[in-house]
Amino acid sequence: GAGVSQSPSNKVTEKGKDVELRCDPISGHTALYWYRQRLGQGLEFLIYFQGNSAPDKSGLPSDRFSAERTGESVSTLTIQRTQQEDSAVYLCASSFQGVGTDTQYFGPGTRLTVL
Amino acid sequence: KNEVEQSPQNLTAQEGEFITINCSYSVGISALHWLQQHPGGGIVSLFMLSSGKKKHGRLIATINIQEKHSSLHITASHPRDSAVYICAGGYNTDKLIFGTGTRLQVFP
């Protein structure tokens, strides 16, 4: 079936505005991850959803960042009052079971630019 | 200090050369993942291994649990192999800890 999809592919916003990024995981995958990749830097973990368990939010950089997931489907990452340092590619991944031995499938990412 | 370290950071090679990228990690993991990120940004999972060796086409990944070290080898390299290669440690919990990546450029 289809892979992980993300929308929008690109988002340009003004400092101080709120943005919502969407991720559609692979059907049947119980685990969903959000990562951030700033220009020239490595991947940073943001948040992880696994089934009906409480999400692991330990990677969220500030309380301006939040994420929701509807059941085992779509997830939305929201950034409030965006700052220029939020500019990055935001990547979503999903996996079948969500353990360290599980292959993660990545979406194409959303490139966020905060002016 | 990052828990997952890669070397080299940058690597250039001539087409046909044998390439090795190294990854070491500081704490015990349940699996080591190798990922490939092409210039367009898309990330593909290449391997996930917890012991021994895996091979897929011209790519070979090995891991030594005792030494906490893994290598990714590319035989008969080709310009289309040019990408950033990322290793990541998978733990029994949930998240991956990523290395900073190795940027590989293969010239014809």
Side-chain angles (χ1 to χ4, degrees):
Chain A
V4 178
S5 61
Q6 292 185 245
S7 62
S9 54
N10 282 285
K11 176 72 177 178
V12 179
T13 190
E14 293 180 347
K15 179 181 172 181
K17 296 286 176 95
D18 298 352
V19 295
E20 281 191 356
L21 311 179
R22 178 186 167 111
C23 171
D24 283 90
I26 292 172
S27 178
H29 280 191
T30 62
L32 186 147
Y33 308 78
W34 282 99
Y35 299 100
R36 177 172 73 175
Q37 187 174 34
R38 289 170 162 158
L39 185 64
Q41 298 189 19
L43 287 156
E44 301 172 72
F45 166 79
L46 295 177
I47 189 169
Y48 159 70
F49 296 90
Q50 169 57 47
N52 295 319
S53 302
D56 178 351
K57 304 178 183 180
S58 60
L60 294 179
S62 78
D63 59 8
R64 296 185 296 104
F65 287 72
S66 62
E68 291 183 347
R69 187 180 186 193
T70 308
E72 293 187 351
S73 60
V74 171
S75 176
T76 302
L77 177 69
T78 302
I79 309 173
Q80 295 178 307
R81 305 181 302 281
T82 52
Q83 303 293 313
Q84 287 183 331
E85 65 260 26
D86 299 335
S87 295
V89 175
Y90 289 82
L91 289 151
C92 174
S94 71
S95 68
F96 183 59
Q97 289 183 309
V99 294
T101 54
D102 211 10
T103 297
Q104 293 188 19
Y105 297 84
F106 285 80
T110 293
R111 183 175 299 278
L112 174 66
T113 303
V114 182
L115 302 176
Chain B
K1 185 179 185 299
N2 199 19
E3 294 177 32
V4 178
E5 300 274 352
Q6 282 185 244
S7 63
Q9 282 191 324
N10 292 283
L11 184 57
T12 58
Q14 289 295 125
E15 183 172 356
E17 286 185 4
F18 181 83
I19 288 162
T20 296
I21 299 170
N22 295 299
C23 177
S24 60
Y25 50 93
S26 58
V27 294
I29 59 171
S30 52
L32 193 291
H33 299 248
W34 281 102
L35 310 169
Q36 180 191 54
Q37 185 171 31
H38 275 281
I43 295 177
V44 174
S45 179
L46 297 175
F47 295 104
M48 181 182 61
L49 65 165
S50 53
S51 65
K53 179 169 84 172
K54 286 190 176 180
K55 184 176 189 294
H56 182 67
R58 295 179 294 104
L59 302 179
I60 303 167
T62 63
I63 189 168
N64 184 316
I65 300 295
Q66 287 74 29
E67 295 185 3
K68 296 187 175 61
H69 180 269
S70 176
S71 293
L72 177 68
H73 306 285
I74 305 175
T75 62
S77 59
H78 190 275
R80 64 175 175 266
D81 297 325
S82 298
V84 175
Y85 292 84
I86 304 166
C87 71
Y91 297 83
N92 287 328
T93 52
D94 45 40
K95 43 186 174 280
L96 297 180
I97 305 297
F98 296 92
T100 52
T102 295
R103 183 175 300 277
L104 170 66
Q105 287 184 295
V106 182
F107 294 99

Short mmCIF file of all heavy atoms in Angstrom, two decimals, chain B residues 11-19 77 82 104-108:
data_model
loop_
_atom_site.label_atom_id
_atom_site.label_comp_id
_atom_site.label_asym_id
_atom_site.label_seq_id
_atom_site.Cartn_x
_atom_site.Cartn_y
_atom_site.Cartn_z
N LEU B 11 32.78 11.94 3.04
CA LEU B 11 33.55 10.92 2.33
C LEU B 11 33.36 11.11 0.83
O LEU B 11 32.22 11.23 0.37
CB LEU B 11 33.06 9.52 2.76
CG LEU B 11 33.76 8.29 2.23
CD1 LEU B 11 35.24 8.32 2.59
CD2 LEU B 11 33.11 7.05 2.82
N THR B 12 34.47 11.18 0.12
CA THR B 12 34.38 11.22 -1.33
C THR B 12 35.09 10.00 -1.89
O THR B 12 36.06 9.50 -1.30
CB THR B 12 35.02 12.50 -1.93
OG1 THR B 12 36.39 12.55 -1.51
CG2 THR B 12 34.30 13.74 -1.46
N ALA B 13 34.60 9.51 -3.00
CA ALA B 13 35.15 8.30 -3.60
C ALA B 13 34.99 8.36 -5.10
O ALA B 13 34.14 9.08 -5.63
CB ALA B 13 34.43 7.07 -3.04
N GLN B 14 35.83 7.61 -5.78
CA GLN B 14 35.69 7.41 -7.21
C GLN B 14 34.79 6.21 -7.46
O GLN B 14 34.81 5.23 -6.68
CB GLN B 14 37.05 7.18 -7.86
CG GLN B 14 37.95 8.40 -7.91
CD GLN B 14 37.39 9.50 -8.80
OE1 GLN B 14 37.22 10.63 -8.37
NE2 GLN B 14 37.08 9.15 -10.04
N GLU B 15 34.07 6.29 -8.52
CA GLU B 15 33.19 5.18 -8.89
C GLU B 15 33.97 3.87 -8.88
O GLU B 15 35.09 3.78 -9.41
CB GLU B 15 32.59 5.44 -10.27
CG GLU B 15 31.60 4.38 -10.72
CD GLU B 15 30.90 4.77 -12.01
OE1 GLU B 15 31.13 5.89 -12.51
OE2 GLU B 15 30.12 3.95 -12.52
N GLY B 16 33.37 2.85 -8.27
CA GLY B 16 34.01 1.54 -8.23
C GLY B 16 34.73 1.24 -6.92
O GLY B 16 35.03 0.08 -6.63
N GLU B 17 35.00 2.27 -6.13
CA GLU B 17 35.73 2.07 -4.90
C GLU B 17 34.87 1.37 -3.84
O GLU B 17 33.64 1.46 -3.85
CB GLU B 17 36.23 3.40 -4.33
CG GLU B 17 37.41 3.98 -5.08
CD GLU B 17 37.96 5.23 -4.43
OE1 GLU B 17 37.47 5.61 -3.34
OE2 GLU B 17 38.87 5.85 -5.00
N PHE B 18 35.55 0.69 -2.93
CA PHE B 18 34.91 0.06 -1.78
C PHE B 18 34.84 1.09 -0.66
O PHE B 18 35.83 1.74 -0.34
CB PHE B 18 35.74 -1.16 -1.34
CG PHE B 18 35.18 -1.91 -0.18
CD1 PHE B 18 34.19 -2.87 -0.37
CD2 PHE B 18 35.64 -1.68 1.11
CE1 PHE B 18 33.67 -3.58 0.71
CE2 PHE B 18 35.12 -2.39 2.19
CZ PHE B 18 34.14 -3.34 1.99
N ILE B 19 33.68 1.23 -0.08
CA ILE B 19 33.45 2.29 0.91
C ILE B 19 33.05 1.68 2.24
O ILE B 19 32.28 0.71 2.29
CB ILE B 19 32.34 3.23 0.41
CG1 ILE B 19 32.86 4.08 -0.74
CG2 ILE B 19 31.79 4.11 1.53
CD1 ILE B 19 31.79 4.72 -1.56
N SER B 77 31.18 1.09 -5.66
CA SER B 77 30.36 2.28 -5.49
C SER B 77 30.02 2.95 -6.82
O SER B 77 30.77 2.86 -7.81
CB SER B 77 31.05 3.27 -4.56
OG SER B 77 32.30 3.64 -5.11
N SER B 82 25.55 8.32 -3.86
CA SER B 82 25.78 9.58 -3.17
C SER B 82 24.55 9.95 -2.34
O SER B 82 23.45 10.07 -2.86
CB SER B 82 26.09 10.70 -4.18
OG SER B 82 27.26 10.39 -4.90
N LEU B 104 28.27 11.08 1.74
CA LEU B 104 29.07 10.37 0.74
C LEU B 104 28.83 10.96 -0.64
O LEU B 104 27.69 11.15 -1.05
CB LEU B 104 28.70 8.89 0.72
CG LEU B 104 29.28 8.05 -0.43
CD1 LEU B 104 30.80 7.96 -0.29
CD2 LEU B 104 28.66 6.67 -0.46
N GLN B 105 29.93 11.25 -1.32
CA GLN B 105 29.86 11.66 -2.72
C GLN B 105 30.72 10.72 -3.54
O GLN B 105 31.91 10.55 -3.25
CB GLN B 105 30.35 13.10 -2.89
CG GLN B 105 29.38 14.14 -2.36
CD GLN B 105 29.88 15.56 -2.65
OE1 GLN B 105 30.90 15.97 -2.14
NE2 GLN B 105 29.14 16.28 -3.47
N VAL B 106 30.11 10.11 -4.53
CA VAL B 106 30.83 9.22 -5.42
C VAL B 106 30.91 9.88 -6.78
O VAL B 106 29.88 10.19 -7.39
CB VAL B 106 30.15 7.85 -5.52
CG1 VAL B 106 30.96 6.92 -6.44
CG2 VAL B 106 29.97 7.22 -4.15
N PHE B 107 32.12 10.06 -7.27
CA PHE B 107 32.33 10.73 -8.55
C PHE B 107 32.59 9.71 -9.65
O PHE B 107 33.24 8.70 -9.42
CB PHE B 107 33.50 11.72 -8.45
CG PHE B 107 33.24 12.86 -7.53
CD1 PHE B 107 33.73 12.87 -6.22
CD2 PHE B 107 32.48 13.94 -7.96
CE1 PHE B 107 33.48 13.93 -5.37
CE2 PHE B 107 32.23 15.01 -7.09
CZ PHE B 107 32.72 14.99 -5.80
N PRO B 108 32.08 10.02 -10.86
CA PRO B 108 32.29 9.07 -11.97
C PRO B 108 33.73 9.09 -12.43
O PRO B 108 34.49 10.01 -12.15
CB PRO B 108 31.35 9.60 -13.07
CG PRO B 108 31.03 11.00 -12.68
CD PRO B 108 31.21 11.13 -11.20
#
